[in-house]
Amino acid sequence: NMGLNRLEMANKYLEFGNWAILKNPNCTYELRSQLHRNFGKLYTSQEKYSKALTEFAKDVYVCSLDHGPEHVRTAAAYYYMAKNLFKIGKETAGLGFCTKIMKIWHKALETEKKILENLTEAQMCEGEEILTSIFETRKQTYGAESISTAEAAFTLGLIKCEMKRFNEAELLLENVLATYKGKFGGDDLRTSKVQAALELVFAVMKASE
């Protein structure tokens, strides 16, 4: 009963928030995004998955208007879509969103680091949690030694580097390097990128000794 009462209270607060936003056309995209995302989470907890997907889709739309569809802030909205799709058994669609999220983050971590400078610590931590979840999902789906899992591990390793968690990054990148060398060979560009990232980790760790 206590849990049900809390859900009903949360629903009332969100409905009030929705009413307030509708009455205020100048409300920020960020507030609109938070409202849709919270409604989506509420409907998910109530197992109203169709309504949840609608709210998460609105979240994606608003985030895209605010930041663009290929921004890491929008990637968080895609993630909630993916989680909901997995819950209703649409694994292929969910994995598709996971791939999109990973590509957005990988590009930002490799070539668009200015984007990361505008993220808060909480947003970086959220990104790390999302990439960890995708890594675990791929490992469970494709196996620990698969290229798909290694790609996810590479992206996760890069965000660990960005957050100065070098020991964790080292372990991830060493595993990725071994997989890439086995699949692509040591001279492949993909292998070289992992090697370069790993060498940077070694250099930073040595400098801090």
Side-chain angles (χ1 to χ4, degrees), residues 68-155:
E70 304 298 319
H71 196 281
V72 293
R73 295 285 298 275
T74 309
Y78 292 134
Y79 176 65
Y80 288 102
M81 286 282 290
K83 284 182 68 176
N84 209 264
L85 287 165
F86 285 128
K87 285 183 180 294
I88 60 175
K90 295 188 176 181
E91 186 174 287
T92 301
L95 290 169
F97 272 109
C98 287
T99 298
K100 184 174 185 65
I101 295 160
M102 196 183 68
K103 286 181 177 178
I104 289 170
W105 267 105
H106 196 96
K107 186 177 180 182
L109 289 160
E110 261 199 342
T111 62
E112 297 179 349
K113 290 199 173 185
K114 283 188 177 180
I115 290 174
L116 305 181
E117 293 173 4
N118 296 320
L119 298 181
T120 65
E121 184 179 352
Q123 287 163 347
M124 285 294 292
C125 287
E126 181 184 44
E128 182 188 21
E129 289 175 9
I130 288 170
L131 293 174
T132 299
S133 176
I134 291 173
F135 167 65
E136 294 296 339
T137 297
R138 282 195 166 194
K139 185 163 63 172
Q140 184 176 356
T141 303
Y142 302 115
E145 304 301 321
S146 72
I147 290 298
S148 293
T149 302
E151 288 172 347
F154 187 13
T155 309

Coordinates of all heavy atoms in Angstrom, one line a residue, residues 68-155:
G68 N 20.5 18.5 -30.2 CA 20.8 17.7 -31.5 C 20.6 16.2 -31.2 O 20.9 15.8 -30.1
P69 N 20.3 15.5 -32.3 CA 20.0 14.1 -32.1 C 21.2 13.2 -31.9 O 21.1 12.1 -31.4 CB 19.3 13.7 -33.4 CG 19.8 14.7 -34.4 CD 20.0 16.0 -33.6
E70 N 22.4 13.8 -32.1 CA 23.7 13.0 -32.0 C 24.5 13.5 -30.8 O 25.7 13.2 -30.7 CB 24.5 13.1 -33.3 CG 23.8 12.6 -34.5 CD 23.4 11.2 -34.4 OE1 24.2 10.4 -34.0 OE2 22.3 10.8 -34.9
H71 N 23.9 14.1 -29.8 CA 24.6 14.6 -28.7 C 24.5 13.7 -27.5 O 23.5 12.9 -27.4 CB 23.9 16.0 -28.2 CG 24.8 16.8 -27.3 ND1 24.8 16.5 -26.0 CD2 25.6 17.9 -27.5 CE1 25.6 17.4 -25.4 NE2 26.1 18.2 -26.3
V72 N 25.5 13.7 -26.6 CA 25.5 12.7 -25.5 C 24.4 13.0 -24.5 O 23.9 12.0 -23.9 CB 26.9 12.8 -24.7 CG1 28.0 12.2 -25.6 CG2 27.2 14.2 -24.2
R73 N 23.9 14.2 -24.5 CA 22.7 14.5 -23.6 C 21.5 13.8 -24.2 O 20.6 13.3 -23.4 CB 22.4 16.0 -23.5 CG 23.5 16.8 -22.8 CD 23.5 16.6 -21.3 NE 22.3 17.0 -20.7 CZ 22.1 18.3 -20.3 NH1 23.0 19.2 -20.5 NH2 20.9 18.6 -19.8
T74 N 21.4 13.7 -25.5 CA 20.2 13.0 -26.1 C 20.4 11.5 -26.0 O 19.4 10.8 -25.9 CB 20.1 13.4 -27.6 OG1 20.1 14.8 -27.7 CG2 18.8 12.9 -28.2
A75 N 21.7 11.1 -25.9 CA 21.9 9.6 -25.8 C 21.3 9.1 -24.5 O 20.9 7.9 -24.5 CB 23.5 9.4 -25.8
A76 N 21.3 9.9 -23.4 CA 20.6 9.4 -22.2 C 19.1 9.1 -22.4 O 18.6 8.2 -21.9 CB 20.8 10.5 -21.1
A77 N 18.5 10.0 -23.3 CA 17.1 9.7 -23.6 C 16.9 8.5 -24.4 O 16.0 7.7 -24.2 CB 16.5 10.9 -24.3
Y78 N 17.8 8.2 -25.3 CA 17.8 7.0 -26.1 C 17.9 5.8 -25.2 O 17.3 4.7 -25.4 CB 18.9 6.9 -27.1 CG 18.8 7.9 -28.3 CD1 19.9 8.6 -28.6 CD2 17.7 8.1 -29.0 CE1 19.9 9.5 -29.7 CE2 17.6 9.0 -30.0 CZ 18.7 9.7 -30.4 OH 18.7 10.6 -31.4
Y79 N 18.7 5.9 -24.1 CA 18.9 4.8 -23.2 C 17.6 4.3 -22.5 O 17.4 3.1 -22.4 CB 20.0 5.2 -22.2 CG 20.2 4.1 -21.1 CD1 20.8 2.9 -21.5 CD2 19.9 4.3 -19.8 CE1 21.0 1.9 -20.5 CE2 20.1 3.4 -18.8 CZ 20.7 2.2 -19.2 OH 20.9 1.2 -18.3
Y80 N 16.8 5.3 -22.1 CA 15.6 4.9 -21.4 C 14.6 4.3 -22.4 O 13.8 3.4 -22.0 CB 14.9 6.1 -20.8 CG 15.7 6.6 -19.5 CD1 16.6 7.6 -19.6 CD2 15.6 5.8 -18.4 CE1 17.3 8.0 -18.5 CE2 16.4 6.2 -17.2 CZ 17.2 7.3 -17.3 OH 18.0 7.6 -16.2
M81 N 14.7 4.7 -23.7 CA 13.9 4.0 -24.7 C 14.3 2.6 -24.8 O 13.5 1.6 -24.9 CB 14.1 4.7 -26.1 CG 13.4 6.0 -26.2 SD 11.6 5.8 -26.6 CE 11.6 5.2 -28.2
A82 N 15.7 2.4 -24.9 CA 16.2 1.0 -25.0 C 15.8 0.1 -23.8 O 15.4 -1.0 -24.0 CB 17.7 1.1 -25.1
K83 N 15.9 0.6 -22.6 CA 15.5 -0.2 -21.4 C 14.1 -0.6 -21.5 O 13.7 -1.7 -21.2 CB 15.8 0.7 -20.2 CG 17.2 0.8 -19.8 CD 17.4 1.6 -18.5 CE 16.8 0.8 -17.3 NZ 17.0 1.6 -16.0
N84 N 13.2 0.3 -22.0 CA 11.8 0.0 -22.0 C 11.5 -1.0 -23.1 O 10.7 -1.9 -22.9 CB 11.0 1.3 -22.3 CG 9.6 1.2 -21.7 OD1 8.7 0.9 -22.4 ND2 9.5 1.5 -20.4
L85 N 12.2 -0.9 -24.2 CA 12.1 -1.9 -25.3 C 12.5 -3.3 -24.9 O 11.8 -4.3 -25.2 CB 12.9 -1.5 -26.5 CG 12.3 -0.3 -27.3 CD1 13.3 0.3 -28.2 CD2 11.1 -0.6 -28.1
F86 N 13.6 -3.4 -24.1 CA 14.0 -4.7 -23.6 C 12.9 -5.3 -22.7 O 12.6 -6.5 -22.7 CB 15.3 -4.6 -22.8 CG 16.5 -4.4 -23.6 CD1 17.4 -3.4 -23.4 CD2 16.8 -5.3 -24.6 CE1 18.5 -3.2 -24.2 CE2 17.9 -5.2 -25.4 CZ 18.8 -4.1 -25.2
K87 N 12.2 -4.4 -21.9 CA 11.2 -4.9 -21.0 C 10.0 -5.5 -21.7 O 9.3 -6.4 -21.2 CB 10.7 -3.8 -20.1 CG 11.7 -3.4 -19.0 CD 11.1 -2.3 -18.1 CE 12.1 -2.0 -17.0 NZ 12.3 -3.1 -16.0
I88 N 9.7 -5.0 -22.9 CA 8.5 -5.6 -23.7 C 9.0 -6.6 -24.7 O 8.2 -7.0 -25.6 CB 7.7 -4.4 -24.3 CG1 8.6 -3.6 -25.3 CG2 7.1 -3.5 -23.2 CD1 7.7 -2.6 -26.1
G89 N 10.2 -7.1 -24.6 CA 10.7 -8.1 -25.5 C 11.2 -7.7 -26.8 O 11.4 -8.6 -27.7
K90 N 11.3 -6.4 -27.1 CA 11.8 -6.0 -28.4 C 13.3 -5.8 -28.3 O 13.8 -4.7 -28.4 CB 11.1 -4.7 -28.8 CG 9.6 -4.9 -29.0 CD 8.9 -3.6 -29.6 CE 7.5 -3.9 -29.9 NZ 6.8 -2.7 -30.5
E91 N 14.0 -6.9 -28.2 CA 15.4 -6.9 -28.0 C 16.2 -6.3 -29.2 O 17.2 -5.6 -29.0 CB 15.9 -8.4 -27.8 CG 17.4 -8.4 -27.4 CD 17.8 -9.8 -27.0 OE1 17.4 -10.3 -25.9 OE2 18.5 -10.5 -27.8
T92 N 15.8 -6.6 -30.4 CA 16.5 -6.1 -31.6 C 16.5 -4.6 -31.6 O 17.5 -3.9 -31.8 CB 15.9 -6.7 -32.9 OG1 16.0 -8.1 -32.9 CG2 16.7 -6.1 -34.1
A93 N 15.3 -4.0 -31.3 CA 15.2 -2.6 -31.3 C 16.0 -2.0 -30.2 O 16.7 -0.9 -30.3 CB 13.7 -2.2 -31.2
G94 N 15.9 -2.6 -29.0 CA 16.7 -2.2 -27.8 C 18.2 -2.2 -28.1 O 18.9 -1.2 -27.8
L95 N 18.7 -3.2 -28.7 CA 20.1 -3.3 -29.1 C 20.5 -2.3 -30.1 O 21.6 -1.7 -30.1 CB 20.5 -4.7 -29.6 CG 20.4 -5.8 -28.6 CD1 20.5 -7.2 -29.2 CD2 21.6 -5.7 -27.5
G96 N 19.6 -1.9 -31.0 CA 19.8 -0.9 -32.0 C 20.0 0.5 -31.3 O 21.0 1.2 -31.7
F97 N 19.2 0.8 -30.3 CA 19.4 2.0 -29.6 C 20.7 2.0 -28.8 O 21.4 3.0 -28.7 CB 18.2 2.2 -28.6 CG 17.1 2.9 -29.2 CD1 15.9 2.3 -29.5 CD2 17.1 4.3 -29.5 CE1 14.8 2.9 -30.0 CE2 16.1 5.0 -30.1 CZ 14.9 4.3 -30.3
C98 N 21.1 0.8 -28.3 CA 22.4 0.7 -27.5 C 23.5 1.0 -28.5 O 24.5 1.7 -28.1 CB 22.5 -0.7 -26.9 SG 21.4 -1.0 -25.5
T99 N 23.5 0.5 -29.7 CA 24.5 0.8 -30.7 C 24.6 2.3 -31.0 O 25.7 2.9 -31.0 CB 24.3 0.0 -32.0 OG1 24.3 -1.4 -31.7 CG2 25.3 0.3 -33.0
K100 N 23.5 2.9 -31.1 CA 23.4 4.4 -31.4 C 24.0 5.2 -30.2 O 24.9 6.1 -30.4 CB 22.0 4.8 -31.7 CG 21.9 6.3 -32.1 CD 20.5 6.7 -32.4 CE 20.4 8.1 -33.0 NZ 21.2 8.3 -34.2
I101 N 23.7 4.8 -29.0 CA 24.2 5.5 -27.8 C 25.7 5.3 -27.8 O 26.4 6.3 -27.5 CB 23.6 4.9 -26.6 CG1 22.1 5.1 -26.5 CG2 24.2 5.4 -25.3 CD1 21.3 4.2 -25.6
M102 N 26.2 4.1 -28.0 CA 27.6 3.9 -27.9 C 28.4 4.7 -29.0 O 29.5 5.2 -28.7 CB 27.9 2.4 -28.1 CG 29.3 1.9 -27.6 SD 29.5 0.2 -28.0 CE 29.5 0.2 -29.8
K103 N 27.9 4.7 -30.2 CA 28.5 5.5 -31.2 C 28.6 7.0 -30.9 O 29.6 7.7 -31.2 CB 27.8 5.3 -32.6 CG 28.1 3.9 -33.2 CD 27.4 3.7 -34.5 CE 27.7 2.4 -35.1 NZ 27.0 2.2 -36.4
I104 N 27.5 7.5 -30.3 CA 27.5 8.9 -29.9 C 28.6 9.2 -28.9 O 29.3 10.2 -29.0 CB 26.1 9.3 -29.4 CG1 25.1 9.3 -30.6 CG2 26.1 10.7 -28.7 CD1 23.6 9.5 -30.1
W105 N 28.6 8.4 -27.9 CA 29.6 8.6 -26.8 C 31.0 8.4 -27.3 O 32.0 9.1 -27.0 CB 29.3 7.6 -25.6 CG 28.5 8.3 -24.6 CD1 27.1 8.1 -24.4 CD2 28.9 9.3 -23.6 NE1 26.7 8.8 -23.3 CE2 27.8 9.6 -22.9 CE3 30.1 9.9 -23.4 CZ2 27.8 10.5 -21.8 CZ3 30.1 10.8 -22.4 CH2 29.0 11.1 -21.6
H106 N 31.2 7.3 -28.2 CA 32.6 7.1 -28.7 C 33.1 8.2 -29.5 O 34.3 8.6 -29.3 CB 32.6 5.8 -29.5 CG 33.9 5.2 -29.7 ND1 34.5 4.2 -28.9 CD2 34.9 5.5 -30.6 CE1 35.7 3.9 -29.3 NE2 36.0 4.7 -30.3
K107 N 32.3 8.8 -30.3 CA 32.7 9.9 -31.1 C 33.0 11.1 -30.2 O 34.0 11.8 -30.5 CB 31.5 10.3 -32.1 CG 31.9 11.4 -33.1 CD 30.8 11.7 -34.0 CE 31.2 12.8 -35.0 NZ 30.0 13.1 -35.9
A108 N 32.2 11.4 -29.2 CA 32.5 12.5 -28.3 C 33.8 12.3 -27.6 O 34.6 13.2 -27.4 CB 31.4 12.7 -27.3
L109 N 34.0 11.0 -27.1 CA 35.2 10.7 -26.3 C 36.5 10.7 -27.2 O 37.6 11.0 -26.7 CB 35.1 9.4 -25.6 CG 34.1 9.3 -24.5 CD1 33.6 7.9 -24.2 CD2 34.6 10.0 -23.2
E110 N 36.4 10.4 -28.5 CA 37.5 10.4 -29.3 C 37.8 11.7 -30.0 O 39.0 12.1 -30.1 CB 37.3 9.3 -30.4 CG 38.0 8.0 -30.1 CD 38.2 7.1 -31.3 OE1 37.5 7.3 -32.3 OE2 39.0 6.2 -31.2
T111 N 36.8 12.3 -30.5 CA 37.1 13.5 -31.4 C 36.3 14.8 -31.1 O 36.6 15.8 -31.7 CB 36.7 13.1 -32.9 OG1 35.3 12.8 -33.0 CG2 37.5 11.9 -33.3
E112 N 35.4 14.7 -30.1 CA 34.6 15.9 -29.8 C 34.6 16.2 -28.3 O 33.6 16.4 -27.7 CB 33.2 15.7 -30.3 CG 33.0 15.5 -31.8 CD 31.6 15.3 -32.3 OE1 30.7 15.1 -31.4 OE2 31.4 15.4 -33.5
K113 N 35.8 16.3 -27.8 CA 36.0 16.4 -26.3 C 35.4 17.8 -25.8 O 35.2 17.9 -24.6 CB 37.4 16.2 -25.9 CG 37.8 14.7 -26.0 CD 39.1 14.4 -25.2 CE 39.4 12.9 -25.3 NZ 40.5 12.6 -24.4
K114 N 35.3 18.7 -26.7 CA 34.7 20.0 -26.2 C 33.3 19.8 -25.7 O 32.9 20.6 -24.8 CB 34.7 21.0 -27.3 CG 36.1 21.6 -27.6 CD 36.0 22.8 -28.6 CE 37.4 23.4 -28.9 NZ 37.3 24.5 -29.8
I115 N 32.6 18.9 -26.2 CA 31.2 18.6 -25.7 C 31.3 18.1 -24.3 O 30.5 18.5 -23.4 CB 30.6 17.5 -26.6 CG1 30.3 18.0 -28.0 CG2 29.3 16.9 -25.9 CD1 29.8 16.9 -28.9
L116 N 32.3 17.3 -23.9 CA 32.4 16.8 -22.6 C 32.7 17.9 -21.5 O 32.4 17.8 -20.4 CB 33.5 15.8 -22.5 CG 33.4 14.6 -23.5 CD1 34.6 13.6 -23.3 CD2 32.1 13.9 -23.4
E117 N 33.4 19.0 -22.0 CA 33.7 20.1 -21.1 C 32.5 20.8 -20.5 O 32.5 21.4 -19.4 CB 34.6 21.1 -21.8 CG 35.9 20.6 -22.2 CD 36.7 21.6 -23.1 OE1 36.2 22.7 -23.3 OE2 37.8 21.2 -23.5
N118 N 31.4 20.6 -21.2 CA 30.1 21.3 -20.8 C 29.2 20.4 -20.0 O 28.1 20.8 -19.6 CB 29.3 21.8 -22.0 CG 30.1 22.9 -22.8 OD1 30.7 23.7 -22.2 ND2 30.0 22.8 -24.1
L119 N 29.7 19.1 -19.7 CA 28.9 18.2 -18.9 C 29.3 18.3 -17.5 O 30.4 18.5 -17.1 CB 29.2 16.8 -19.4 CG 28.8 16.4 -20.8 CD1 29.1 15.0 -21.1 CD2 27.3 16.7 -21.1
T120 N 28.3 18.1 -16.6 CA 28.5 18.1 -15.2 C 29.1 16.8 -14.8 O 29.1 15.8 -15.5 CB 27.3 18.4 -14.4 OG1 26.3 17.3 -14.6 CG2 26.6 19.7 -14.8
E121 N 29.6 16.7 -13.6 CA 30.1 15.4 -13.1 C 29.0 14.4 -13.0 O 29.2 13.2 -13.3 CB 30.7 15.6 -11.7 CG 31.4 14.3 -11.1 CD 32.0 14.5 -9.7 OE1 32.1 15.7 -9.3 OE2 32.4 13.5 -9.1
A122 N 27.8 14.8 -12.6 CA 26.7 13.9 -12.6 C 26.4 13.3 -14.0 O 26.0 12.1 -14.1 CB 25.5 14.6 -12.0
Q123 N 26.4 14.2 -15.0 CA 26.2 13.7 -16.4 C 27.2 12.8 -16.9 O 26.9 11.8 -17.6 CB 26.0 14.9 -17.3 CG 24.7 15.7 -17.0 CD 24.8 17.1 -17.6 OE1 25.8 17.6 -18.0 NE2 23.6 17.8 -17.7
M124 N 28.5 13.0 -16.5 CA 29.5 12.1 -16.9 C 29.3 10.7 -16.2 O 29.5 9.7 -16.8 CB 30.9 12.7 -16.5 CG 31.4 13.8 -17.4 SD 31.7 13.2 -19.1 CE 33.1 12.1 -18.9
C125 N 28.9 10.8 -14.9 CA 28.7 9.5 -14.2 C 27.5 8.8 -14.8 O 27.5 7.5 -14.9 CB 28.4 9.8 -12.7 SG 29.8 10.3 -11.7
E126 N 26.5 9.5 -15.2 CA 25.3 8.9 -15.9 C 25.8 8.2 -17.2 O 25.4 7.1 -17.5 CB 24.3 9.9 -16.2 CG 23.0 9.3 -16.9 CD 22.0 10.4 -17.2 OE1 22.4 11.4 -17.8 OE2 20.8 10.1 -17.0
G127 N 26.7 8.9 -17.9 CA 27.2 8.3 -19.1 C 28.0 7.1 -18.9 O 27.8 6.1 -19.6
E128 N 28.8 7.1 -17.8 CA 29.5 5.9 -17.4 C 28.6 4.7 -17.1 O 28.8 3.6 -17.5 CB 30.4 6.2 -16.2 CG 31.3 5.0 -15.8 CD 32.0 5.3 -14.5 OE1 31.6 6.2 -13.7 OE2 33.0 4.6 -14.3
E129 N 27.5 5.0 -16.3 CA 26.6 4.0 -16.0 C 25.9 3.4 -17.2 O 25.7 2.2 -17.3 CB 25.5 4.6 -15.0 CG 26.1 4.9 -13.6 CD 25.0 5.6 -12.7 OE1 23.9 5.7 -13.2 OE2 25.4 6.0 -11.6
I130 N 25.5 4.3 -18.1 CA 24.9 3.8 -19.3 C 25.8 2.9 -20.2 O 25.4 1.9 -20.6 CB 24.4 5.1 -20.2 CG1 23.2 5.7 -19.5 CG2 24.0 4.7 -21.6 CD1 22.9 7.1 -20.1
L131 N 27.0 3.4 -20.3 CA 28.0 2.6 -21.1 C 28.3 1.3 -20.4 O 28.5 0.2 -21.1 CB 29.3 3.4 -21.4 CG 29.1 4.6 -22.3 CD1 30.3 5.4 -22.4 CD2 28.6 4.2 -23.7
T132 N 28.4 1.3 -19.1 CA 28.6 0.0 -18.4 C 27.4 -1.0 -18.6 O 27.6 -2.2 -18.9 CB 28.7 0.3 -16.9 OG1 29.8 1.1 -16.6 CG2 28.9 -1.0 -16.1
S133 N 26.2 -0.4 -18.6 CA 25.0 -1.3 -18.8 C 25.0 -1.8 -20.3 O 24.7 -3.0 -20.5 CB 23.7 -0.4 -18.6 OG 22.6 -1.2 -19.0
I134 N 25.4 -1.0 -21.2 CA 25.5 -1.5 -22.6 C 26.6 -2.6 -22.8 O 26.4 -3.6 -23.5 CB 25.7 -0.3 -23.6 CG1 24.5 0.6 -23.6 CG2 26.1 -0.8 -25.0 CD1 24.7 1.9 -24.4
F135 N 27.7 -2.4 -22.1 CA 28.8 -3.3 -22.1 C 28.3 -4.7 -21.6 O 28.5 -5.8 -22.2 CB 30.0 -2.8 -21.3 CG 31.0 -3.9 -21.0 CD1 31.7 -4.4 -22.0 CD2 31.2 -4.3 -19.7 CE1 32.7 -5.4 -21.7 CE2 32.2 -5.2 -19.4 CZ 32.9 -5.8 -20.4
E136 N 27.6 -4.6 -20.4 CA 27.1 -5.9 -19.8 C 26.0 -6.5 -20.7 O 25.9 -7.8 -20.8 CB 26.5 -5.6 -18.4 CG 27.6 -5.1 -17.4 CD 28.6 -6.2 -17.1 OE1 28.3 -7.4 -17.3 OE2 29.7 -5.8 -16.6
T137 N 25.2 -5.7 -21.3 CA 24.1 -6.2 -22.2 C 24.7 -7.0 -23.4 O 24.3 -8.1 -23.8 CB 23.2 -5.1 -22.7 OG1 22.5 -4.5 -21.5 CG2 22.1 -5.6 -23.6
R138 N 25.7 -6.3 -24.0 CA 26.4 -6.9 -25.1 C 27.1 -8.2 -24.7 O 27.1 -9.2 -25.5 CB 27.4 -6.0 -25.8 CG 26.6 -4.9 -26.6 CD 27.6 -4.2 -27.5 NE 26.9 -3.4 -28.6 CZ 27.5 -2.9 -29.6 NH1 28.8 -3.1 -29.8 NH2 26.8 -2.3 -30.5
K139 N 27.8 -8.2 -23.6 CA 28.5 -9.4 -23.1 C 27.5 -10.5 -22.9 O 27.8 -11.7 -23.3 CB 29.2 -9.1 -21.8 CG 30.1 -10.2 -21.3 CD 31.2 -9.7 -20.3 CE 30.5 -9.2 -19.0 NZ 31.5 -8.9 -18.0
Q140 N 26.4 -10.3 -22.4 CA 25.4 -11.3 -22.1 C 24.8 -11.8 -23.5 O 24.5 -13.0 -23.6 CB 24.3 -10.8 -21.2 CG 23.2 -11.8 -20.8 CD 22.2 -11.2 -19.9 OE1 22.3 -10.1 -19.4 NE2 21.2 -12.0 -19.5
T141 N 24.6 -10.9 -24.4 CA 24.0 -11.2 -25.7 C 24.9 -11.9 -26.7 O 24.5 -12.9 -27.3 CB 23.4 -9.9 -26.3 OG1 22.5 -9.3 -25.4 CG2 22.6 -10.3 -27.6
Y142 N 26.1 -11.3 -26.8 CA 27.0 -11.8 -27.8 C 28.2 -12.6 -27.3 O 28.9 -13.3 -28.1 CB 27.6 -10.6 -28.6 CG 26.5 -9.7 -29.2 CD1 26.3 -8.4 -28.8 CD2 25.7 -10.2 -30.2 CE1 25.4 -7.6 -29.4 CE2 24.7 -9.4 -30.8 CZ 24.6 -8.1 -30.4 OH 23.6 -7.3 -31.0
G143 N 28.5 -12.6 -26.0 CA 29.6 -13.3 -25.4 C 30.8 -12.4 -25.1 O 30.9 -11.3 -25.8
A144 N 31.6 -12.7 -24.2 CA 32.6 -11.9 -23.7 C 33.7 -11.6 -24.7 O 34.4 -10.6 -24.7 CB 33.2 -12.5 -22.4
E145 N 33.9 -12.6 -25.6 CA 35.0 -12.5 -26.6 C 34.6 -11.9 -27.9 O 35.4 -11.8 -28.9 CB 35.6 -13.9 -26.9 CG 36.1 -14.6 -25.6 CD 37.2 -13.8 -24.8 OE1 38.0 -13.2 -25.5 OE2 37.1 -13.8 -23.6
S146 N 33.4 -11.5 -28.1 CA 32.9 -11.0 -29.4 C 33.4 -9.6 -29.6 O 33.7 -8.8 -28.7 CB 31.3 -10.9 -29.4 OG 30.9 -9.9 -28.5
I147 N 33.4 -9.2 -30.9 CA 33.8 -7.9 -31.3 C 32.8 -6.8 -30.8 O 33.2 -5.7 -30.4 CB 33.9 -7.8 -32.9 CG1 35.1 -8.6 -33.4 CG2 34.0 -6.3 -33.3 CD1 36.4 -8.1 -32.9
S148 N 31.5 -7.2 -30.8 CA 30.5 -6.2 -30.3 C 30.8 -5.9 -28.8 O 30.6 -4.7 -28.4 CB 29.1 -6.9 -30.4 OG 28.7 -7.0 -31.8
T149 N 31.1 -6.9 -28.0 CA 31.4 -6.6 -26.6 C 32.7 -5.8 -26.5 O 32.8 -4.9 -25.7 CB 31.5 -8.0 -25.9 OG1 30.3 -8.7 -26.0 CG2 31.8 -7.7 -24.4
A150 N 33.7 -6.1 -27.3 CA 35.0 -5.4 -27.3 C 34.8 -3.9 -27.7 O 35.4 -3.0 -27.1 CB 36.0 -6.0 -28.2
E151 N 33.9 -3.6 -28.6 CA 33.6 -2.3 -29.0 C 33.0 -1.5 -27.8 O 33.4 -0.3 -27.6 CB 32.6 -2.2 -30.2 CG 33.2 -2.7 -31.5 CD 32.2 -2.8 -32.6 OE1 31.0 -2.9 -32.3 OE2 32.6 -3.0 -33.8
A152 N 32.1 -2.2 -27.1 CA 31.5 -1.5 -26.0 C 32.5 -1.3 -24.9 O 32.5 -0.3 -24.2 CB 30.3 -2.4 -25.5
A153 N 33.4 -2.3 -24.7 CA 34.4 -2.2 -23.7 C 35.4 -1.0 -24.0 O 35.9 -0.3 -23.1 CB 35.2 -3.5 -23.6
F154 N 35.7 -0.8 -25.3 CA 36.6 0.3 -25.7 C 36.0 1.6 -25.4 O 36.6 2.5 -24.8 CB 36.8 0.2 -27.2 CG 37.8 1.1 -27.8 CD1 38.7 1.8 -27.0 CD2 37.9 1.3 -29.2 CE1 39.6 2.7 -27.5 CE2 38.8 2.2 -29.7 CZ 39.7 2.9 -28.9
T155 N 34.7 1.8 -25.7 CA 34.0 3.1 -25.3 C 34.0 3.3 -23.8 O 34.2 4.4 -23.3 CB 32.6 3.1 -25.9 OG1 32.7 2.8 -27.3 CG2 32.0 4.5 -25.7

